[in-house]
Amino acid sequence: MPIITISRGSYSRGKEVAEKVAARLGYECISRDVLIEASEIFNIPEIRLVRAIHDAPSVLDRFRFGKERYVAFIRAALLRRVQGDNIVYHGLAGHFFLQNIPHVLKVRIIADMEDRVREEMKREGVAADKARDLIQKDDGERRKWSLSLYGIDTADAGLYDMVLSIRTLRVDDVVEAIVDAAGRPCFRNTAESQRILDDLTLAAQVEIALVDEFPRVKVTAADGVVHVYITVGLSRLTSKSESDVIRPVEEIARLIGGAQEVRVHLSHSVMTD
């Protein structure tokens, strides 16, 4: 069975859709669970990460290489959670982190602006103009946040397998469309698709094990072979040889379950670490 990711803006009924799809399919429905897990690893209170969703650049700029660490931990937490399949995820950037996994059905939910305005007015007790301004600001901040942290535009339809509008389609119609798509053969989990997910999960686990020491680390994995790409400042090599840097990286990477072979690719930078 597939993994389903649902991307949505505020007041777009995406949470309701996700919960109904999960109930229909007997799936687990997750969202903030991943954020909570990442906040524990990242050692930042969850409320600060929730606020960071709306203004990530200024919050994370307080930490050296904050963006890189934040992205690494969120990705690792999500990949760990979805390895077992049968999950509907309607949280942060699932459509991006799971982009190249064949058995992931990526859905974008959009809603009519006037319907969203009415919902904002009802929930916040504000006038229509104020509600519209708040929604437009929130949409802009979400897009800015996604572009800053992940380099993606959530409005790009190419990120999704389905873009569904809740207007003529009702919530139950959208749920029916997603459930139907989830049963299509193209979204069935196969040995090859599971291997891709397992490789991504392994690479993500190695990356979070190294990101504190090497903020510019990038890791890939294929069939249990892990490639670690690290960039270090020349100042670090004044007292160490390249092998002194590479050896502990190999040891750390091998401690992560599933790594059969580790290959470290070292590059230099005039910048300090």
Side-chain angles (χ1 to χ4, degrees):
M1 297 294 284
I3 298 160
I4 301 170
T5 66
I6 296 179
S7 168
R8 74 285 194 277
S10 59
Y11 304 116
S12 297
R13 312 288 293 276
K15 180 176 183 291
E16 181 182 357
V17 168
E19 290 173 346
K20 287 190 171 184
V21 168
R24 280 281 303 275
L25 295 172
Y27 282 16
E28 181 183 8
C29 187
I30 62 174
S31 178
R32 287 182 67 172
D33 314 59
V34 171
L35 187 66
I36 292 169
E37 181 176 347
S39 74
E40 293 172 352
I41 299 171
F42 201 49
N43 197 28
I44 296 178
E46 182 200 356
I47 187 61
R48 291 181 64 185
L49 290 184
V50 171
R51 290 171 180 164
I53 291 173
H54 295 281
D55 197 15
S58 65
V59 173
L60 296 178
D61 281 346
R62 299 173 192 169
F63 305 94
R64 185 162 179 78
F65 298 109
K67 170 182 171 180
E68 289 82 356
R69 296 180 69 225
Y70 183 86
V71 171
F73 288 128
I74 289 286
R75 179 173 58 241
L78 175 59
L79 286 165
R80 254 200 312 264
R81 288 299 300 272
V82 303
Q83 267 197 300
D85 290 347
N86 297 354
I87 282 177
V88 177
Y89 176 70
H90 61 103
L92 300 166
H95 50 284
F96 176 61
F97 290 144
L98 308 178
Q99 186 64 223
N100 297 313
I101 302 170
H103 68 285
V104 175
L105 170 58
K106 296 169 290 295
V107 181
R108 174 72 173 174
I109 304 295
I110 60 176
D112 179 70
M113 175 58 80
E114 295 310 310
D115 290 340
R116 297 174 70 194
V117 167
R118 283 190 287 273
E119 188 65 24
E120 177 89 3
M121 291 170 63
K122 181 172 68 175
R123 294 195 186 186
E124 302 299 329
V126 296
D129 288 347
K130 177 65 173 177
R132 187 173 288 101
D133 288 344
L134 289 171
I135 290 173
Q136 289 174 343
K137 180 180 179 182
D138 186 64
D139 286 348
E141 289 294 341
R142 284 174 184 244
R143 185 181 182 199
K144 173 184 173 184
W145 181 85
S146 184
L147 285 167
S148 173
L149 284 180
Y150 307 112
I152 61 171
D153 184 349
T154 52
D156 180 3
L159 293 170
Y160 311 101
D161 300 300
M162 303 174 68
V163 178
L164 298 168
S165 174
I166 294 181
R167 189 175 185 184
T168 302
L169 291 174
R170 300 167 300 170
V171 167
D172 287 344
D173 296 322
V174 169
V175 170
E176 193 66 35
I178 295 171
V179 169
D180 178 70
R184 301 286 176 174
C186 57
F187 292 113
R188 289 177 186 161
N189 193 357
T190 64
E192 174 62 16
S193 188
Q194 186 64 43
R195 183 193 64 76
I196 292 171
L197 175 56
D198 291 344
D199 283 341
L200 285 171
T201 304
L202 172 59
Q205 298 306 311
V206 173
E207 194 164 304
I208 63 171
L210 296 170
V211 70
D212 282 333
E213 180 70 15
F214 302 100
R216 300 185 187 93
V217 66
K218 296 297 177 187
V219 182
T220 64
D223 297 321
V225 179
V226 174
H227 291 265
V228 182
Y229 301 86
I230 56 175
T231 302
V232 298
L234 290 174
S235 59
R236 174 173 290 200
L237 296 178
T238 57
S239 59
K240 295 182 178 180
S241 67
E242 289 192 1
S243 61
D244 291 330
V245 174
I246 292 173
R247 193 179 306 110
V249 171
E250 291 176 334
E251 292 174 357
I252 291 171
R254 285 196 179 93
L255 289 175
I256 307 300
Q260 300 170 11
E261 182 181 350
V262 179
R263 300 175 187 174
V264 180
H265 309 270
L266 182 66
S267 61
H268 307 150
S269 170
V270 294
M271 298 175 63
T272 57
D273 295 325

